[in-house]
Amino acid sequence: LAFARLGCVLRILGVGMALVAAGTVAVSPTGAAAALVPPRPGAVITEISPGTEASLPPRLRKALQQSTPWPDVGAMRSVVALQMPRAELTGRECAYLPAILRQTPNLQSIDLSVNSIGPYWTALFDAGLQHTEALTSIELWGCGITDLSGLHLALAHTNTLKTKGITSLGFGSNQLFPHGLRALPAALKETPKLTSLDLSRNPIGEVGAHLLSLGLAKTWDLTRLLLGECKIGPRGAMFLAEGLQHTKDLKELALECNEICAEGAWELVQAFQNTPELETLDLTWNNLGQDGVRALAFALQQCRKLDKLAISGNALDPTVERELSRGIRQTALGLLLPPRD
């Protein structure tokens, strides 16, 4: 009897209910939002019922209105870039990401940088990327990400005959320790067209460098790799050198502040002989010393397109650093012979 009365009340009020995953949105007969029950942690909202667009969390609604024609659902189909950095989004707001991506089938890039997207972010992308055949770029800089587990499942949706494929991944300035990178090789396997990868300012260490090396074996088109402040050390440089053997089109490599030392510089000798397209190299603050710079001069003689080289902060006199930098570039261009002793 109680259920019957409740049904009558709902019919009288004309309330439409949209229950999607763990989030519940109620709308009035006029389509105005009545109440929003926050989705539980880990909720994946895959659909927003017609007429309930105004019921999204305020911060998410504001971010969408600033970067897209939201709530015009028809116009959303033409959106090619979803730019919502620094929008103060949390896991609660990001739970709606799959539903939003479902309404933007022509989306080419996503930028959610500097938002606390929560620990369930890969599940959200897994559900959302099924609807974005044109997507090529994902930027998640400074999002507090600690684990890439499940990323390969999400990226698999972008690696099909119908999709363009991911060309740029940005995970800079997160909290990715080695254990959080265990899924990286599997993820990179799903991005054979990748040209840019940013893992800078993550404490990946030498173990993370090894995992990255395994993944680089599947990224033959990579042209830009950012690994500054990753604490890879000399042994990590050895692992990285193994991975760089597969990136012959690499044009930019950033390795600043990694304590590579002279030992690591010698490990990179063989790697640089396999990167003839290299144009920009940053090895600042790596404690290379004179021996490390000598290794660098020997290694870069095959990089004839090298134009920008940064080696400051390597325990050398500033004047000497400038002259060595100039000399190494000239060596790479074939204007000078490398040192022989």
Side-chain angles (χ1 to χ4, degrees), residues 54 58-71 84:
R59 283 179 294 196
L60 176 59
R61 190 167 64 248
K62 179 181 177 181
L64 284 171
Q65 291 173 340
Q66 289 177 342
S67 61
T68 72
W70 186 269
M84 299 193 295

Side-chain angles (χ1 to χ4, degrees), residues 17-334:
M17 299 299 292
L19 178 60
V20 186
T24 304
V25 179
V27 294
S28 69
T30 61
L36 177 66
V37 178
R40 62 172 174 78
V44 178
I45 301 177
T46 60
E47 185 176 2
I48 300 174
S49 298
T52 68
E53 292 84 3
S55 63
L56 294 185
R59 283 179 294 196
L60 176 59
R61 190 167 64 248
K62 179 181 177 181
L64 284 171
Q65 291 173 340
Q66 289 177 342
S67 61
T68 72
W70 186 269
D72 188 334
V73 176
M76 287 291 289
R77 296 185 63 84
S78 63
V79 172
V80 296
L82 186 61
Q83 304 290 324
M84 299 193 295
R86 301 180 183 277
E88 299 182 349
L89 304 181
T90 66
R92 175 185 176 228
E93 288 83 14
C94 290
Y96 293 85
L97 182 62
I100 295 168
L101 295 183
R102 188 171 186 172
Q103 299 188 15
T104 54
N106 296 304
L107 195 67
Q108 298 177 15
S109 66
I110 300 174
D111 186 353
L112 296 176
S113 296
V114 198
N115 288 294
S116 301
I117 61 178
Y120 308 102
W121 68 278
T122 56
L124 300 175
F125 275 85
D126 184 20
L129 297 189
Q130 301 178 37
H131 311 286
T132 54
E133 295 183 354
L135 189 68
T136 60
S137 175
I138 300 175
E139 183 64 43
L140 299 174
W141 194 93
C143 289
I145 295 172
T146 60
D147 200 338
L148 300 184
S149 296
L151 179 60
H152 64 293
L153 299 176
L155 294 178
H157 299 301
T158 69
N159 185 26
T160 69
L161 295 177
K162 294 182 179 180
T163 56
K164 287 188 175 181
I166 297 297
T167 59
S168 178
L169 283 175
F171 294 109
S173 196
N174 280 288
Q175 300 171 30
L176 290 169
F177 287 85
H179 64 271
L181 289 172
R182 290 171 294 182
L184 182 61
L188 294 182
K189 187 177 180 180
E190 301 295 345
T191 59
K193 298 179 181 179
L194 193 68
T195 59
S196 176
L197 177 60
D198 182 4
L199 288 172
S200 62
R201 299 179 67 179
N202 282 288
I204 70 173
E206 62 182 52
V207 175
H210 178 54
L211 293 168
L212 171 62
S213 174
L214 297 176
L216 291 179
K218 303 296 182 181
T219 57
W220 306 284
D221 295 335
L222 196 69
T223 60
R224 181 171 180 259
L225 180 58
L226 306 183
L227 295 173
E229 299 181 51
C230 284
K231 301 182 179 181
I232 66 173
R235 188 169 173 80
M238 177 189 71
F239 290 128
L240 178 62
E242 296 174 358
L244 292 179
Q245 295 182 27
H246 306 284
T247 59
K248 299 184 183 300
D249 293 330
L250 193 67
K251 294 183 178 180
E252 179 181 355
L253 178 61
L255 290 170
E256 71 275 14
C257 304
N258 271 298
E259 284 298 316
I260 290 175
C261 303
E263 179 185 351
W266 282 106
E267 294 290 352
L268 291 170
V269 168
Q270 183 63 39
F272 288 136
Q273 292 178 357
N274 291 315
T275 56
E277 302 297 319
L278 192 64
E279 298 175 354
T280 301
L281 176 63
D282 188 348
L283 281 167
T284 54
W285 298 100
N286 271 293
N287 196 27
L288 298 179
Q290 186 170 343
D291 189 43
V293 173
R294 181 181 291 109
L296 198 60
F298 177 76
L300 294 176
Q301 59 183 309
Q302 301 298 326
C303 303
R304 298 301 177 90
K305 297 183 179 180
L306 188 66
D307 180 58
K308 298 179 181 179
L309 173 65
I311 57 172
S312 62
N314 280 293
L316 297 171
D317 180 87
T319 302
V320 176
E321 285 181 355
R322 288 193 295 270
E323 291 301 317
L324 281 173
S325 180
R326 178 173 178 271
I328 291 173
R329 286 200 305 271
Q330 289 182 324
T331 299
L333 294 172

